[in-house]
Amino acid sequence: MSTQQVNPSSSEAVASVPAAPDSERERIFEAFRRWGYLEADLDPLGFLRPEVRPELQLEGEIAEEARRVYCATIGVEFAHIADPERRRWIQKRLEGPQGAVDQGVVLDQLIRADLFEQVLQHRYLGSKRFSLEGVTALIPLVDEMLEAAGERGAVELVMGMSHRGRLNVIVQVARRSPEEVFAGFEDVDPRSVLGSGDVKYHMGATGEYATRRGVKIHIHLASNPSHLEAVDPVTIGRTRAKQDRAGEGGTRKYLPLLVHGDAAFAGQGITAETLNYADLPAYSVGGTLHVIVNNLIGFTTTPSELHSSRFAAQIARRQDCPIFHVNGEDVDAVVRVARMAVEYRYNFGSDVVVDLIGYRRHGHSEVDDPTITQPLLYKAISSHPSLWEIYAEDIGAQDAPARVQAVRESYEAAQKKAGHIRKKPTLRELPKYWDKYTGGRHKAEYEVETGLPLEELAAITQRLTAYPEGFHIHPKIKKLLDQRAEMGKGKRAVDYGMAEALAFGSLAKAGVPVRLSGQDSRRGTFNQRHSVLVDIENEQEFVPLQHIAEGQARCQIYNSTLSEAGVLGFEYGYGRDYPEALVLWEAQFGDFANVAQAVIDQFVSSGEDKWALLSGVVLLLPHGYEGQGPEHSSARIERFLQLAARDNLQLCQPSNAAQYFHLLRRQALRVWRKPLVIFTPKSMLRHPDAASPIADLTHKQFLSVLPDVGAENASRIVLCTGKIGHELRVERKKRKDNSVAVVFVEQLYPFPEAELTAELARHPGARDIVWVQEEPANMGALSYVLPRLKRLAGEIPVLSVKRSASASPSTGSAKAHEVEQKTLLSLAFAKQESPSQL
Ligand SMILES: Cc1ncc(C[n+]2csc(CCOP(=O)(O)OP(=O)(O)O)c2C)c(N)n1
Ligand SMILES: [Mg+2]
């Protein structure tokens, strides 16, 4: 342990306090409570020097007593917490008697953890494993957290963590056998994982932990991508789903733990997004435990280059959340902090951060040579003993060498066994609630009927449009509800808002929970949803979707924080542990989904391929060219199409309200669990052309191609998606041109080849097929559909109409937009040579 000492001899600040009255004692202690962590002895190697705080240049017995509490190997940031009860709780715990630590058990844990890394290093030289050595105290830390959580009713620890020490955690915490992990380092038959799977330090694991008092705690370590911290919101969403499933006492039973790297915690915005929703009803999990495995380095980069704050943890100070910095070589202190963190979480339902400070014994991975970039640091590290050696000496454990020998032998034996394991073991079991759902390629047998009888639609409408007596409804909303009532009775065409409400309401009534979150989603960005009625006299809320029927499932629509990655990550996670539910994330405009691109790339589109983990999450992305400028036009259909392969996604753009209704219900009612991206309308939300007769909601199912029923044997077949299709039909009417069929492709992926073939066959005299899109040539579905259409078209030429290729999705001028839009329409009807042939 470092013997760094603070020099408290600054002359004027010295206060001599003989027999101080209570207030004097309080005043001195208050100074240490506020500033003490800055003078604490936190870095085992002494590079992070304690600051000399002028406020703490105090002498005398009381100051010494306070210094022993607040400036030793635990430094706590808690003065920023507004609630005095919480501050008092922390100071009482720190200033009061300290609990005993079972040092024999801790020594064994340290030996096991360090030797595990050494055996890997020795046996599998040159493979990456991201050793825990230097912050080995993580193992007793999590162990004590589990002990404390077990006493408070925890049944499962839901963990998200990145690479550092992950394999060690799988063995020491999730209690998978070492041979299973060693087997991951042995060669596998490459044919078994061609093109899919993931590296071993990203795969999830589950296991059973038993506390020393015999409480069993299930350990669930979430699969994660390389993208640091991206797993944070996913883990929290998963925890929330498990808690919701459990109902009463859920937050007690399911405890989330996020293990962060210091560089990643400070640098990644998604950390801040996740912290920000800790206390919000839509996302709260009753407090998350955060542990920063702080080796004071990120790859080759030093803390002074990594964050503007003294500690990587300081982003967490924005909320009422204590930060416990602890010297990773005072393991007894680490264990005490672990217990305090868990007790604080359970007492106050709050997040807690533990900043476990140590070092990194090897390079970033074991194949890196850190002496090139940090020569002095690594010189110090090379002569620094292992943590178990330091601890054994501190506690005077004479039998340490014998313990080491026993552990080494058991690992050696496990390593030998691993060599005989033929099939790479999966280190996780899926929960039962996934049993009835399936992924893989789409099969016709998965399809279900999604229509509802008129009486049922009328009954749901009645509930959707009712509110309690005495509720002071806004006059505009009263009108909207009156219109919706007419829609449900077939007196008015059903618009998107109503179609969605009928889909959600019918699903909830049938026992399917619905959860939607997004920015301003309760009202709807386009003033279309109005899922929550607000009393205009007292702002009390009434949610008709929660009053559809006795015993219905939950239907929750939340306004989200102003975050995309954090919120989509959460909803993806939620759906991972609630396959029965319809879980949706809505972007304010589809354009903003790119801020969640890492979650889309790393979880939504590839989670099944990498980890064999299914998801039915729905993304609602408003899309359409309406003259609102480059950032309010495009949900980037082209990017989703590029991610699509092997039926990993469903990409749809329903062109009318009934289609949207069927699509939502299909997603919830099938056993095929696949992420669904819906490119949703904006101006078409209330447009009569996109509204549907109620009878269309009684039809059998969603149609992936919407035929042009009015057109027979057309000479031109125009294919398109969404809004422009309606504009094309209007234009056709204006031109009285009956030779053109306008067909909507409602599902872009999986490509509806059979349905399109059937539609093309209805027009045997077609002279050409024209793909029309609003997007520029380098965007939209163009380069995806053309080769496919050409294959289906045979001899018939396939032409296209689109905006010119462009660096940004659209013009910023509404007028220019109109000119362009008119040109698209006239080109679509122009003679054969006008549309460009690609
Ligand atoms: C978003 C993201 N950016 C960059 C990387 C590449 N990368 C992997 S580990 C690492 C350093 C991480 O440092 P830290 O968070 O302190 O964890 P440590 O490896 O020190 O435990 C970097 C930059 C990544 N995996 N993810
Ligand atoms: Mg680090």
Side-chain angles (χ1 to χ4, degrees), residues 504-519:
F504 289 172
S506 62
L507 289 169
K509 188 175 176 188
V512 176
V514 176
R515 180 189 158 96
L516 161 66
S517 85
Q519 289 152 20

Side-chain angles (χ1 to χ4, degrees), residues 239-317:
T239 309
R240 172 64 180 254
K242 288 167 190 269
Q243 293 178 346
D244 282 357
R245 302 185 77 91
E248 191 75 23
T251 53
R252 221 156 241 292
K253 292 178 185 155
Y254 293 89
L255 176 66
L257 167 61
L258 294 177
V259 179
H260 312 269
D262 51 317
F265 188 79
Q268 292 294 308
I270 201 165
T271 314
E273 292 183 30
T274 308
L275 285 167
N276 183 43
Y277 54 57
D279 297 333
L280 305 181
Y283 308 97
S284 170
V285 286
T288 299
L289 301 173
H290 298 268
V291 175
I292 302 173
V293 172
N294 190 348
N295 49 21
L296 297 171
I297 196 162
F299 207 153
T300 65
T301 306
T302 55
S304 61
E305 300 164 300
L306 284 166
H307 40 87
S308 295
S309 46
R310 176 171 168 84
F311 294 102
Q314 268 163 347
I315 180 79
R317 269 179 59 156

Side-chain angles (χ1 to χ4, degrees), residues 559-760:
N559 286 342
S560 75
T561 54
L562 214 165
S563 141
E564 288 78 24
V567 175
L568 176 58
F570 181 100
E571 301 305 344
Y572 168 84
Y574 193 94
R576 281 282 318 120
D577 282 285
Y578 226 134
E580 309 93 320
L582 180 67
V583 182
L584 311 96
W585 170 66
E586 182 175 62
Q588 185 111 61
F589 282 84
D591 311 67
F592 302 119
N594 56 11
V595 183
Q597 199 65 48
V599 177
I600 293 166
D601 289 354
Q602 309 307 331
F603 293 92
V604 177
S605 67
S606 60
E608 183 179 356
D609 183 86
K610 293 191 290 190
W611 312 313
L613 296 178
L614 307 179
S615 163
V617 74
V618 180
L619 278 63
L620 301 179
L621 308 183
H623 174 91
Y625 280 60
E626 303 181 351
Q628 293 191 66
E631 281 86 45
H632 294 88
S633 297
S634 175
R636 300 292 201 163
I637 292 176
E638 64 279 2
R639 297 211 179 129
F640 288 95
L641 286 166
Q642 196 189 39
L643 292 173
R646 304 176 66 81
D647 294 356
N648 63 332
L649 294 171
Q650 307 165 83
L651 309 178
C652 298
Q653 191 170 9
S655 64
N656 65 49
Q659 282 279 87
Y660 183 45
F661 169 85
H662 288 293
L663 183 58
L664 290 172
R665 285 179 48 81
R666 178 180 90 167
Q667 181 69 357
L669 297 175
R670 283 189 309 207
V671 293
W672 199 51
R673 280 289 168 268
K674 285 285 159 171
L676 166 65
V677 181
I678 309 183
F679 302 104
T680 53
K682 296 177 289 180
S683 64
M684 299 308 285
L685 283 165
R686 274 177 294 274
H687 199 286
D689 290 351
S692 304
I694 187 96
D696 286 5
L697 279 63
T698 67
H699 290 172
K700 206 167 136 198
Q701 59 191 22
F702 174 77
L703 300 174
S704 51
V705 172
L706 209 58
D708 191 348
V709 283
E712 291 293 332
N713 202 7
S715 59
R716 167 170 290 175
I717 308 170
V718 167
L719 298 172
C720 57
T721 64
K723 174 174 76 72
I724 193 144
H726 296 292
E727 291 170 358
L728 285 162
R729 286 189 177 178
V730 170
E731 181 72 15
R732 179 177 62 180
K733 210 166 169 191
K734 252 200 256 165
R735 291 175 178 248
K736 300 193 175 69
D737 182 348
N738 290 329
S739 66
V740 177
V742 178
V743 176
F744 290 91
V745 180
E746 304 276 298
Q747 176 167 302
L748 284 162
Y749 192 83
F751 191 62
E753 189 160 326
E755 292 82 350
L756 262 178
T757 308
E759 185 54 17
L760 298 185

